[in-house]
Amino acid sequence: MADMSSLDELLSSSIKSAAEPAASAGVADAIRSRVAAGDAGTSVAGSTAPGWGGSAGGIMTIVAPIALIVVAGVVGGALGASGLLGGSSAPAGGDIPAYVLSAETAAIYSCPGGPQIGAIPAETRVLAVARDADGVFLGARNPDDVASTIWFATGDLILDDDSADPATLPVEECPDVTVTQVTPTPTPEPTETAPPKPPAETTPPSITSIKASKTVVLNNESSTISVAATDNVGVTTVTLSWTNGTNSGSATMPKSGSSWQYVWANNGPPSTYGVYKFTAVAFDAAGNQSPGAEVLVDQQYFG
């Protein structure tokens, strides 16, 4: 294999005799003449051309000498096998679409119509390997990673002479992205818990005593009925009712000190006299009532 000095001499001679340093077309014509005369230059198959794979700056700093880029397009098999065309071993002459970027710096996209991920300098040569269905974007082999594809707007690329029709490239599109909407589980509102109700008060009062100041009265004399009652919470009311079988009545007993008292007198005609039965019942605030307690008063008539 010839050493790299032969390639350097070929480039230097071509550039000096054909064009200004930035005129890639003049350089290309000069190199084509050299190739037609039988000078294919030095093969660099298996090596990485300067400014491509392995550069410290990555894809944002891919800058190759114009002369070397043009050699890659003209010599074909000699340099097409190198990293200059992304590592392809196929010649550029009509088999694989090879492109030169237009005079302006071109944007790099992650996929057809996808987000822009960088830019590449003008007049850089790339190897097309895919297209989108509409032909708006072309995919090229990534010089820094030949296993991946970077994408350009078709209008930013100039097809090399005698390259294959880009319509023959396989079609690729951006991968479908499925977005799953996750509905958050609502946090339940705290509920206020009512304080527990106290247990119902069910204990009834009790009457501890009932008595009459006179158990026998004459004519329209009166007798005071006294009642003592207790409760676990408190007695609120004591009622008194009376009857002799034909005559009856009732009243609420007022409280006097620690007992409940009622003054009874029957001022009716003698026909209403007789033995009266008095019944007292005590109540508490919860409505519980005591059993009735009784006392007898005998009203007699003396003419």
Side-chain angles (χ1 to χ4, degrees):
M1 180 183 294
D3 57 29
M4 293 297 292
S5 61
S6 298
L7 176 59
D8 293 337
E9 292 174 4
L10 172 62
L11 295 177
S12 176
S13 174
S14 298
I15 292 171
K16 290 178 180 179
S17 63
E20 292 298 324
S24 60
V27 176
D29 292 340
I31 294 175
R32 287 191 182 96
S33 298
R34 295 285 296 273
V35 173
D39 185 357
T42 301
S43 173
V44 291
S47 66
T48 302
W52 289 82
S55 62
I59 202 68
M60 294 296 290
T61 58
I62 298 173
V63 181
I66 297 300
L68 189 56
I69 292 173
V70 176
V71 169
V74 174
V75 177
L79 291 182
S82 74
L84 285 171
L85 293 184
S88 172
S89 60
D95 293 328
I96 299 176
Y99 289 80
V100 176
L101 298 181
S102 59
E104 300 296 331
T105 298
I108 303 172
Y109 301 91
S110 62
C111 62
Q116 181 177 343
I117 58 174
I120 196 168
E123 298 190 36
T124 303
R125 189 178 304 280
V126 293
L127 178 67
V129 294
R131 65 183 177 89
D132 69 342
D134 299 327
V136 178
F137 289 89
L138 287 174
R141 189 165 294 165
N142 186 343
D144 272 353
D145 180 8
V146 296
S148 64
T149 302
I150 53 179
W151 290 83
F152 300 91
T154 302
D156 290 341
L157 300 173
I158 301 172
L159 182 64
D160 280 348
D161 295 337
D162 300 326
S163 293
D165 184 354
T168 62
L169 294 172
V171 175
E172 295 183 16
E173 300 290 349
C174 283
D176 292 333
V177 178
T178 301
V179 178
T180 302
Q181 183 70 34
V182 178
T183 303
T185 302
T187 303
E189 294 292 334
T191 56
E192 295 184 1
T193 303
K197 294 181 179 181
E201 205 281 289
T202 59
T203 303
S206 62
I207 294 178
T208 57
S209 69
I210 181 171
K211 59 183 180 180
S213 61
K214 293 181 180 180
T215 57
V216 176
V217 294
L218 300 177
N219 295 334
N220 58 356
E221 291 179 338
S222 63
S223 178
T224 301
I225 310 299
S226 299
V227 173
T230 61
D231 183 67
N232 64 324
V233 177
V235 176
T236 57
T237 305
V238 176
T239 61
L240 184 67
S241 60
W242 56 89
T243 181
N244 69 351
T246 58
N247 190 35
S248 61
S250 63
T252 297
M253 301 183 72
K255 190 173 184 180
S256 178
S258 59
S259 64
W260 307 78
Q261 297 181 354
Y262 181 77
V263 178
W264 174 83
N266 178 22
N267 295 319
S271 59
T272 60
Y273 290 6
V275 177
Y276 281 85
K277 180 174 69 176
F278 292 84
T279 303
V281 177
F283 297 86
D284 63 12
N288 301 308
Q289 68 180 59
S290 69
E294 300 175 351
V295 67
L296 299 178
V297 175
D298 182 12
Q299 184 181 22
Q300 298 180 3
Y301 174 75
F302 286 91

